[in-house]
Amino acid sequence: KAGVTQTPRYLIKTRGQQVTLSCSPISGHRSVSWYQQTPGQGLQFLFEYFSETQRNKGNFPGRFSGRQFSNSRSEMNVSTLELGDSALYLCASSRGDPSTDTQYFGPGTRLTVL
Amino acid sequence: GQNIDQPTEMTATEGAIVQINCTYQTSGFNGLFWYQQHAGEAPTFLSYNVLDGLEEKGRFSSFLSRSKGYSYLLLKELQMKDSASYLCAVRADGSYQLTFGKGTKLSVIP
């Protein structure tokens, strides 16, 4: 079974631009969560989608948004990029039951904002 | 809110045993996870505890005490490839949101 895939793997943008990252979950998984990882803050939860609906949201500004499609693929968007948005963005997929499921992570997208 | 603490760095010798501790204070609890993350790679799932006690999986074991807000990951027969960061994460009730500790960077030396 193929794992979680993320595209692109690396991205360089400048301040003020916007960026869209993509995540394809493991086949059969319906939940996708997004995390930001930085050396200073570690892994921080952004949001989680299930059946095209956002179920949970972390404490990030409105510049961070996401969506999920009917095939469970998900995208996240960051508008008006800031230097501090430079990070590894990870998505994780799971089947859909928050009481029991394990999240499996993709390889991440390394975003550098100049 | 949630607060998760784990040591920043540890060093251990190849072939030895190492225990990585994690303490947590959370407003709800529905499971504790351990992930391994090699530099530049994605976290990979190691173990999951939701009830008190020890879960053993090969060279890796994880323990949980919910009353003490405490968990540890035990790695036996250390190998050089075990050099990585180990992340402790707690899941709140009915949510997919995982709150992670900052991670423990383990260095295995010959």
Side-chain angles (χ1 to χ4, degrees):
Chain A
K1 188 185 266 192
V4 180
T5 58
Q6 291 186 247
T7 57
R9 293 293 311 279
Y10 302 91
L11 207 48
I12 299 175
K13 292 286 188 178
T14 56
R15 280 181 298 174
Q17 288 187 308
Q18 67 95 26
V19 67
T20 300
L21 313 180
S22 180
C23 172
S24 293
I26 293 170
S27 177
H29 284 194
R30 297 170 63 191
S31 170
V32 173
S33 298
W34 288 90
Y35 293 84
Q36 180 195 66
Q37 187 173 32
T38 59
Q41 298 299 317
L43 264 159
Q44 294 184 288
F45 174 78
L46 282 156
F47 27 66
E48 183 255 342
Y49 287 87
F50 176 82
S51 291
E52 303 178 66
T53 301
Q54 186 182 90
R55 287 198 297 195
N56 297 108
K57 189 176 191 305
N59 295 323
F60 278 81
R63 299 186 297 108
F64 292 82
S65 63
R67 59 178 176 168
Q68 186 180 36
F69 302 95
S70 58
N71 62 357
S72 294
R73 189 177 69 86
S74 177
E75 289 181 346
M76 70 161 281
N77 185 78
V78 188
S79 62
T80 319
L81 284 166
E82 301 177 359
L83 295 179
D85 297 333
S86 293
L88 180 67
Y89 290 88
L90 294 159
C91 83
S93 83
S94 49
R95 287 172 301 177
D97 181 351
S99 298
T100 59
D101 282 357
T102 296
Q103 294 183 33
Y104 297 93
F105 285 86
T109 295
R110 172 76 61 185
L111 172 64
T112 301
V113 182
L114 303 176
Chain B
Q2 321 254 51
N3 188 47
I4 300 174
D5 288 313
Q6 49 182 131
T8 304
E9 293 185 33
M10 298 183 71
T11 301
T13 305
E14 191 177 14
I17 299 173
V18 70
Q19 178 175 311
I20 302 174
N21 296 325
C22 171
T23 58
Y24 64 90
Q25 295 169 310
T26 60
S27 54
F29 180 84
N30 190 24
L32 187 141
F33 295 79
W34 284 95
Y35 285 84
Q36 179 193 61
Q37 187 176 27
H38 286 100
E41 298 182 12
T44 56
F45 169 74
L46 288 178
S47 69
Y48 166 65
N49 296 70
V50 67
L51 299 175
D52 291 351
L54 188 68
E55 293 282 341
E56 297 186 78
K57 193 184 291 187
R59 295 189 299 114
F60 292 31
S61 303
S62 57
F63 171 83
L64 175 67
S65 169
R66 289 172 295 170
S67 62
K68 295 181 179 178
Y70 169 69
S71 173
Y72 67 72
L73 180 70
L74 193 70
L75 292 76
K76 304 175 187 176
E77 301 169 15
L78 280 171
Q79 303 175 9
M80 299 300 290
K81 68 179 181 180
D82 297 329
S83 293
S85 285
Y86 291 85
L87 306 170
C88 171
V90 171
R91 179 168 63 197
D93 289 330
S95 166
Y96 261 120
Q97 177 173 346
L98 292 180
T99 301
F100 283 84
K102 295 284 179 69
T104 298
K105 184 178 179 181
L106 174 66
S107 298
V108 180
I109 58 176

